[in-house]
Amino acid sequence: MRAVKLSFLHMLKLIRHDMMLFAAGLAPLLAGIAIKFGVPFMEKMLVSYTGAEAVLTPYYGLFDIFFASIAPAMFGFIAAMVMLEERDDHIDRYLFITGLGRKGYLVSRVVIPALGAFVITAALLPLFRLSALSAAGIVLLALTGTLQGIIIALLIVALSSNKLEGMAITKLSALMILGAVVPYFVPKPICYCLSILPSFWIGKAVSENVLMCMMMAVFVAGIWIWVLLYLMDSTR
């Protein structure tokens, strides 16, 4: 456990010296402020302009889903960039043969940041939410958002050989979050074409107010994580 702690503290030092990664850590707070105050303001402007009773209000739950995904996605991106930098410098292979081991390395680089993202999301979501989420809904959104962040981190590392490729994969991996949009706009049964994405089940849970769909999101996310861990093993 001490080795994991030291490895995580070393990761924090690397982040402190990289302003891009440091700024990414502030994204959840800035995004929360923008959503909380910007979206209702835009709703008032659109209602006034169109004369409709509501324009964005039916999709407030979707904005909450996106916010719950921001901290995990940013923390996952940070973890992936650190891991790729250590791979470029051939540091990771040396860490694997120390007392830290490969499992300890993944815990310090992926699991601990994911737990931090979960705590931050669970703490900020009640402040910045736009829809009427229950306490269970907030926890489940934070959990499923965290699992998506882990998937993004592993996806970047598994499919990239260096940081440059990692930046490109990051843009593609962010598309996984957009599966939450599908239940809102795509009719059944066509929408189930994207049921392989955890975000699809998150969107379905919020749009239809069926929290049990969150369990399906957890299950699908578990499959993604297992496959990506296997890919990381097979590419080494």
Side-chain angles (χ1 to χ4, degrees), residues 77-232:
F77 164 73
I78 293 171
M81 290 300 103
V82 171
M83 294 171 71
L84 288 176
E85 182 175 350
E86 290 175 335
R87 179 188 292 179
D88 292 344
D89 296 336
H90 307 291
I91 295 174
D92 57 347
R93 65 183 65 180
Y94 294 107
L95 292 174
F96 290 167
I97 60 175
T98 65
L100 181 66
R102 186 174 184 277
K103 289 184 178 179
Y105 179 77
L106 289 175
V107 169
S108 66
R109 294 294 183 269
V110 179
V111 177
I112 295 179
L115 290 175
F118 172 81
V119 172
I120 290 173
T121 302
L124 294 182
L125 187 55
L127 299 176
F128 296 126
R129 63 183 174 87
L130 296 178
S131 62
L133 291 172
S134 64
I138 290 172
V139 172
L140 288 172
L141 265 183
L143 173 62
T144 51
T146 298
L147 292 176
Q148 285 192 119
I150 293 176
I151 292 172
I152 289 174
L154 297 179
L155 189 65
I156 295 171
V157 176
L159 301 182
S160 308
S161 57
N162 52 58
K163 288 185 70 174
L164 184 61
E165 290 183 6
M167 295 294 290
I169 298 297
T170 298
K171 298 176 182 178
L172 294 176
S173 63
L175 295 176
M176 293 192 63
I177 301 174
L178 296 182
V181 176
V182 175
Y184 282 87
F185 298 103
V186 181
K188 298 176 182 179
I190 301 174
C191 64
Y192 287 99
C193 291
L194 290 180
S195 60
I196 60 171
L197 298 178
S199 57
F200 166 82
W201 295 102
I202 300 172
K204 189 174 178 63
V206 175
S207 63
E208 299 179 6
N209 196 27
V210 181
L211 290 183
M212 285 301 296
C213 287
M214 291 288 194
M215 297 299 101
M216 192 63 187
V218 172
F219 174 74
V220 174
I223 295 176
W224 273 87
I225 292 171
W226 181 82
V227 170
L228 290 171
L229 287 173
Y230 176 80
L231 286 176
M232 288 176 63

Side-chain angles (χ1 to χ4, degrees), residues 20-40:
M20 180 185 71
L21 298 183
F22 183 77
L26 298 177
L29 181 61
L30 299 177
I33 295 173
I35 290 174
K36 181 66 175 181
F37 298 102
V39 174

Side-chain angles (χ1 to χ4, degrees), residues 1-11 109:
M1 192 63 189
R2 183 173 181 271
V4 172
K5 178 182 177 181
L6 291 175
S7 178
F8 177 68
L9 292 176
H10 176 69
M11 177 182 175
R109 294 294 183 269

